[in-house]
Amino acid sequence: MSNATQLIHSIPVDALTGAISVPIYQTSTFVQEAPGVNKGYDYARSNNPTRATLETIIAQLEKGSVGVAFGSGLAAIDAVVKLLKAGDEILAVDDIYGGAFRLFTHIYEKFGIKINYVDTTNAENVFNAITPATKLIWLETPTNPTLKVSDIEAIAKIARANSCLLCVDNTFASPALQQPLSLGADIVIHSATKYLGGHSDLIAGLVVTKEKELGEKIKFIQNASGAILAPFDSWLVIRGIETLHLRVQQHCRNAQAVAEFLETHPAVDKVYYPGLKTHLNHNIAKKQSKGFGGIVSFTLKNNTEAAATAFVTSTNYFKLAESLGGVKSLLCHPAQMTHKSIPAEKRRASGVADSLIRLSVGLEDVQDLIADIEQAFEKQQKEKQVFEPSISA
Ligand SMILES: *Cc1c(COP(=O)(O)O)cnc(C)c1O
């Protein structure tokens, strides 16, 4: 069965009524025949049929055994960290999602969990940084916003040899492109807010585990902590997943064309996209994923915040907003938005230059998107001429 067919038919028809769309069970509790005698559901924090359907679908898509749906990507990450105890260490990718950094460093360090940030693009660095206390390796691949790629299979072998769990944040790739559990990871997490939801209309998170026993632990943590996904939002994610395969293919095609265009533009300095042969780990990206995703980042020759601001306020179709993975194209300026809380020197050292711009390439016609970028550069140039009159003028 092809992936597209599997994806569409992983969404079940309702057994009770034949409804082709998954029913939304908007209920807090379930009536019992006798104490403890029920139809598999007792209270909606513990379980809900709509959420359970989403959990089964994502477990199938990620080739895992248990899926668990949370109220946000960060709640999903939080549940995985709660597998650990004081004294344990996390070895994490150095240019980690800012929210995960905030959670690890500002919340969990207080509880005695140590975090060790490492450049995971070279698996040898992971091997060298493991200590006897390391219990969890945390990867994101590709990363945000510089699209660094790490070798999941090589790092999974290192994790296994050292009895650590490997968790991969698969938000940027989505299961349509990359399935970390098949490459040896133990846990996958998603911000389903992005490609899985796909329409910029919800906040949701997912955890999938390879082994059933680990999945049961995550379910226990969720029931104990309470960060569940609501029935309607579960339904919205299911609806998004119905077109995941198709959307992601088009995101990839559009992003490749945009990245190739940017590479030839005289105002552009560097372009970051795993689908370009110039990308540092293009070969690893090619080996472990079916496509290179919809996110493209680039820096300007005029490497200033002012030049980036002029560009990001000059586009028509690319809307200025945080987040990514939706139908509409978005762009953001990390130095002033997603990465503003990171001190400038530290931010620059991690590759996020002052002029770096991140594009979430949407599903519009790619020629329109390229024309939009072209006119934004022209507008930016004109503004520059107004402020800096040439000598001949
Ligand atoms: C957005 C995002 C998150 C956090 O997810 P929320 O749904 O916003 O809580 C985690 N990881 C990555 C890579 C993200 O892009």
Side-chain angles (χ1 to χ4, degrees):
M1 203 199 307
S2 84
N3 285 328
T5 309
Q6 191 221 337
L7 189 149
I8 289 167
H9 286 274
S10 69
I11 299 166
V13 172
D14 180 42
L16 198 64
T17 63
I20 201 150
S21 169
V22 173
I24 300 170
Y25 284 89
Q26 193 68 42
T27 187
S28 61
T29 194
F30 302 84
V31 175
Q32 311 196 6
E33 272 170 47
V37 181
N38 57 52
K39 296 183 164 69
Y41 299 93
D42 51 10
Y43 185 60
R45 172 170 22 76
S46 311
N47 213 340
N48 172 287
T50 314
R51 195 173 93 224
T53 300
L54 168 61
E55 292 172 336
T56 306
I57 293 167
I58 192 65
Q60 282 183 34
L61 288 183
E62 285 289 7
K63 309 259 190 294
S65 52
V66 178
V68 192
F70 290 84
S72 70
L74 273 169
I77 296 172
D78 182 69
V80 175
V81 180
K82 283 178 175 149
L83 291 167
L84 306 184
K85 58 181 188 327
D88 289 346
E89 275 180 31
I90 304 174
L91 192 164
V93 53
D94 58 358
D95 71 351
I96 192 167
Y97 175 72
F101 175 84
R102 183 173 51 208
L103 178 69
F104 290 176
T105 301
H106 296 297
I107 308 285
Y108 280 105
E109 281 200 345
K110 263 192 335 206
F111 292 101
I113 291 172
K114 213 179 133 210
I115 329 290
N116 191 357
Y117 295 99
V118 173
D119 174 3
T120 57
T121 56
N122 181 349
E124 214 174 294
N125 295 342
V126 175
F127 179 79
N128 292 332
I130 285 184
T131 76
T134 309
K135 291 288 147 50
L136 175 65
I137 299 178
W138 193 276
L139 286 188
E140 241 177 87
T141 180
T143 62
N144 173 35
T146 54
L147 289 309
K148 286 186 191 155
V149 169
S150 298
D151 188 334
I152 298 171
E153 202 169 9
I155 294 171
K157 280 190 188 134
I158 297 169
R160 185 129 316 151
N162 290 278
S163 309
C164 301
L165 292 172
L166 172 62
C167 180
V168 179
D169 182 335
N170 204 27
T171 299
F172 270 41
S174 93
L177 297 180
Q178 176 172 282
Q179 291 160 336
L181 301 181
S182 305
L183 297 165
D186 302 287
I187 309 171
V188 162
I189 76 100
H190 279 284
S191 168
T193 311
K194 317 294 167 54
Y195 289 102
L196 289 167
H199 295 75
S200 309
D201 53 10
L202 63 97
I203 300 281
L206 297 164
V207 175
V208 184
T209 64
K210 180 92 183 162
E211 301 300 335
K212 188 155 186 285
E213 202 188 327
L214 191 58
E216 294 305 326
K217 284 185 188 165
I218 297 285
K219 274 187 177 285
F220 180 85
I221 290 167
Q222 179 181 59
N223 190 41
S225 304
I228 54 160
L229 188 63
F232 181 63
D233 288 2
S234 298
W235 182 83
L236 277 175
V237 178
I238 294 169
R239 181 175 157 113
I241 286 175
E242 288 185 335
T243 55
L244 176 73
H245 201 73
L246 199 60
R247 284 186 287 108
V248 167
Q249 276 179 20
Q250 193 61 32
H251 281 297
C252 290
R253 271 190 224 117
N254 283 1
Q256 184 77 34
V258 165
E260 285 172 9
F261 167 76
L262 287 168
E263 253 192 337
T264 64
H265 199 282
V268 172
D269 185 19
K270 291 197 191 76
V271 182
Y272 300 95
Y273 185 65
L276 295 176
K277 293 212 172 61
T278 50
H279 185 276
L280 182 66
N281 279 333
H282 172 68
N283 287 333
I284 294 172
K286 216 162 128 181
K287 184 185 76 170
Q288 70 188 12
S289 48
K290 292 192 198 80
F292 304 107
I295 309 297
V296 179
S297 294
F298 63 101
T299 60
L300 303 173
K301 288 229 173 81
N302 177 2
N303 185 26
T304 61
E305 284 197 2
T309 304
F311 182 88
V312 300
T313 53
S314 298
T315 51
N316 297 317
Y317 297 130
F318 285 92
K319 302 294 184 194
L320 184 62
E322 298 197 3
S323 199
L324 55 105
V327 163
K328 273 189 185 144
S329 289
L330 300 179
L331 87 178
C332 88
H333 182 219
Q336 292 181 92
M337 295 167 73
T338 52
H339 288 59
K340 195 178 164 65
S341 62
I342 302 172
E345 280 317 309
K346 194 166 175 281
R347 167 176 57 73
R348 289 183 192 123
S350 74
V352 183
D354 291 4
S355 70
L356 187 118
I357 293 162
R358 184 190 76 190
L359 305 177
S360 171
V361 181
L363 301 181
E364 300 90 342
D365 187 295
V366 73
Q367 290 315 322
D368 291 333
L369 293 179
I370 288 172
D372 190 27
I373 293 170
E374 222 161 8
Q375 68 78 33
F377 277 129
E378 277 164 25
K379 222 189 232 167
Q380 181 207 16
Q381 277 310 108
K382 273 196 206 118
E383 273 177 39
K384 204 175 147 216
Q385 280 159 14
V386 174
F387 294 119
E388 297 167 27
S390 69
I391 293 163
S392 61

